[in-house]
Amino acid sequence: MTILLINPNRYQSPPVPPIGLEYLAGALDSTGHQYQVCDLCFAENPADVLTRAIDSVRPDIAGITIRNIDTVIYQNNLFFLDDIAKTVRQVHDREVPVVLGGAGYSFMPEEILAYTGADYGIAGPGEGALPVLLDRLADGAVPERTVLDGFDMPFDRSLTPGRGELFDYERYLGSRGLAGFETQKGCAERCAYCLECRRDRVVFREPDAVVDEIETMVGRGISRFHLCDTEFNQDLGHCKRFLHALIDRELDMQWALYLKSRPYDGELFELLAASRAELVTLSLPTGTDWLSAASEQVQLARANGLKLVVDLLVGLPGQTIDEVRRIIDTLREAGPETVGVNSTIRLYKGLPVTDMIMADPAQQRYLLGETEGNDDCVRPVFYQWLTVDMLRDIIGDDPLFKIEGFERTSNYERV
Ligand code: B12
Ligand code: SF4
């Protein structure tokens, strides 16, 4: 079959190359299926570009990647699914069925399928599942609205021939964007407000295969990267094997990554510095049991010449103002490069925090956003008891802290 892989993501603060589609293309290369890509990110008239692509490729099916449902932050939230639903209708007008996938899509696959009116979906990695779906469609044996679980289908991620070539990297990198790469999928933590941990599996990639991929991209003139793992430090053994492999290759590149508050040790930071990591973004959960670990990580980063910024979420149900004050004071003392503070929690169906709030009428007065007729939370719903004014009161005029939602910049653009 022939599939047209469409990137509808036109959010440009910063623009992000559609790495998910590149990995899918690599997987399709090794099957009997054909693909073409259509990137709407920088298109002046996306509807025209899409129509022209469909008419010239004449695909059997279109695959749309949904990276973001919305921008997650309350204050200046942008919601993307209405535009994506329009794109689905435009493809349907040409009598081409649509399969959805992507990081945002995988958060609520059934609900987003219904919201956009698309035909099929793949939740999680698509490398194994997409060829299976295409095979089944070629045999004519797929019931409508089928959603496959990509974690259930094995795949080989050593094949990434198109990386850095399929999309206009010059344009992305020239417009504040960075290239990405992935060493694993999934997260082993169980944060009550995060959907990343819905699956209890983390799928690791072979370090040498990842470094081969980076080397290919460096060979294509790309030198600045952002890691696309949820959080890098899932398993220190795997981290260190990857870092040794990267250091040994002596590539002319720099990279940024997300770390969570555990596990870590001094050697991890030494290896990160030796591997030319330029920026660590430390994601901190609510609560306080990680506070001393966070301070130590800030010190380790500094001792190894690494820049470290913090992404901080506060304001879960039950947290107190005193606790938030203690967190802010500790971070002020530790002194990372900047701390992005967010106190509104994007609720999704099925999250422990959503269930907790929906079961307690006293908490529901803190709901913001689209609370009516939106039980599945596809349209953005937020929880916030700790208002921006309360946060400002705690933070004072300390420029170290940036309350999220008032400027459109990414972690790596703030240092
Ligand atoms: C790294 C990252 C960033 C980096 C990106 C750097 C870079 N150059 O790539 C930076 C810091 C720039 C960033 C920015 C933002 N991010 Co971000 N980011 C991530 C992160 C951690 C990884 C995304 C990624 O590339 N994954 C690796 C690729 C290979 O996986 P993938 O895209 O999911 O693709 C696989 C599958 O989904 C599937 N698939 C993908 N497409 C398709 C299509 C079809 C047809 C099929 C069948 C399958 C399929 O197969 C692929 C291969 O396995 C995710 C969380 C996560 N774990 O995914 C958040 C995440 C995607 N980001 C998110 C958000 C909100 C943003 C911002 C909007 C933040 C903001 N307010 O500014 C911006 C948006 C930027 C933009 N232009 O889109 C949210 C989206 C949540 C939501 N409600 O939709 C996520 C999920 C984090 C979260 N938990 O909230 N981000
Ligand atoms: S550590 Fe980060 S990615 Fe993992 S579940 Fe918690 S918030 Fe989500």
Side-chain angles (χ1 to χ4, degrees):
M1 295 192 94
T2 299
I3 181 165
L4 180 66
L5 297 171
I6 302 167
N7 176 34
N9 184 6
R10 297 169 54 72
Y11 185 68
Q12 292 185 21
S13 302
V16 170
I19 174 177
L21 294 186
E22 289 185 286
Y23 283 140
L24 290 186
L28 288 169
D29 268 337
S30 59
T31 67
H33 301 291
Q34 318 296 316
Y35 63 83
Q36 295 283 329
V37 299
C38 174
D39 188 0
L40 302 178
C41 182
F42 302 109
E44 269 174 36
N45 188 333
D48 279 0
V49 170
L50 180 57
T51 302
R52 277 203 303 276
I54 298 172
D55 290 349
S56 87
V57 176
R58 299 185 167 276
D60 300 300
I61 187 164
I64 301 182
T65 185
I66 304 185
R67 184 192 192 281
N68 313 310
I69 300 168
D70 63 293
T71 49
V72 173
I73 304 293
Y74 171 66
Q75 273 80 4
N76 54 7
N77 194 267
L78 291 174
F79 177 65
F80 302 112
L81 292 187
D82 288 335
D83 279 346
I84 289 172
K86 259 192 226 156
T87 306
V88 170
R89 284 198 294 278
Q90 199 192 334
V91 176
H92 278 170
D93 285 347
R94 289 290 203 260
E95 294 184 0
V96 175
V98 174
V99 54
L100 300 179
Y105 170 72
S106 303
F107 276 7
M108 292 185 279
E110 312 283 350
E111 292 78 7
I112 294 177
L113 206 61
Y115 193 91
T116 57
D119 306 277
Y120 312 104
I122 289 173
E127 291 92 329
L130 183 59
V132 169
L133 178 75
L134 297 184
D135 288 345
R136 288 188 194 164
L137 283 168
D139 293 343
V142 186
E144 271 183 30
R145 307 255 181 261
T146 293
V147 176
L148 300 182
D149 183 342
F151 276 94
D152 284 348
M153 318 233 169
F155 56 88
D156 172 8
R157 185 72 88 56
S158 55
L159 306 158
T160 49
R163 293 282 352 254
E165 273 197 338
L166 279 179
F167 295 95
D168 186 351
Y169 266 83
E170 220 173 288
R171 183 87 190 260
Y172 276 102
L173 304 185
S175 324
R176 302 159 50 194
L178 294 180
F181 65 89
E182 219 186 19
T183 75
Q184 67 213 337
K185 267 197 187 299
C187 183
E189 296 296 331
R190 289 284 167 276
C191 303
Y193 50 85
C194 179
L195 276 175
E196 303 281 352
C197 55
R198 255 194 181 172
R199 332 211 156 242
D200 51 8
R201 261 172 302 164
V202 181
V203 180
F204 295 101
R205 292 183 66 198
E206 193 45 55
D208 280 327
V210 182
V211 180
D212 287 346
E213 179 186 325
I214 299 170
E215 186 168 21
T216 305
M217 297 185 77
V218 171
R220 288 174 179 156
I222 297 167
S223 60
R224 287 190 72 207
F225 296 82
H226 197 297
L227 183 72
C228 290
D229 298 359
T230 304
E231 317 274 8
F232 181 55
N233 51 336
Q234 301 294 337
D235 175 297
L236 278 189
H238 181 261
C239 290
K240 290 178 187 178
R241 278 193 296 282
F242 166 71
L243 291 171
H244 279 298
L246 186 57
I247 294 163
D248 288 351
R249 209 71 70 92
E250 297 183 356
L251 299 177
D252 184 11
M253 53 86 78
Q254 289 182 304
W255 62 299
L257 64 145
Y258 287 114
L259 284 187
K260 56 192 174 80
S261 57
R262 62 181 181 192
Y264 72 95
D265 62 13
E267 192 191 4
L268 176 69
F269 282 83
E270 284 163 25
L271 292 173
L272 282 172
S275 74
R276 310 184 64 176
E278 57 177 344
L279 176 71
V280 171
T281 301
L282 182 60
S283 324
L284 294 181
T286 60
T288 49
D289 48 352
W290 46 265
L291 266 181
S292 61
S295 300
E296 196 183 0
Q297 278 168 287
V298 174
Q299 281 164 25
L300 283 169
R302 195 178 300 126
N304 286 285
L306 286 163
K307 290 183 179 149
L308 184 146
V309 301
V310 169
D311 261 1
L312 174 67
L313 179 68
V314 283
L316 237 71
Q319 193 168 38
T320 63
I321 286 267
D322 282 348
E323 197 173 295
V324 177
R325 240 185 223 115
R326 190 147 71 86
I327 293 170
I328 296 289
D329 287 347
T330 308
L331 290 175
R332 190 178 274 130
E333 202 172 308
E337 302 280 330
T338 67
V339 182
V341 193
N342 180 19
S343 66
T344 44
I345 297 157
R346 167 57 157 112
L347 301 182
Y348 300 98
K349 187 176 164 188
L351 275 179
V353 73
T354 309
D355 295 345
M356 190 193 312
I357 291 163
M358 296 310 178
D360 180 357
Q363 296 294 345
Q364 286 167 25
R365 67 197 145 124
Y366 298 122
L367 292 179
L368 298 170
E370 306 228 12
T371 49
E372 298 299 317
N374 183 29
D375 290 348
D376 54 16
C377 303
V378 168
R379 300 184 69 85
V381 184
F382 300 86
Y383 170 86
Q384 184 200 57
W385 67 261
L386 184 62
T387 62
V388 168
D389 285 344
M390 288 156 92
L391 259 186
R392 285 207 176 108
D393 224 38
I394 300 172
I395 290 167
D397 53 9
D398 190 338
L400 177 69
F401 298 94
K402 300 209 181 328
I403 299 177
E404 297 292 356
F406 295 95
E407 55 180 53
R408 293 200 190 279
T409 50
S410 240
N411 48 5
Y412 64 84
E413 298 177 292
R414 291 181 182 173
V415 288

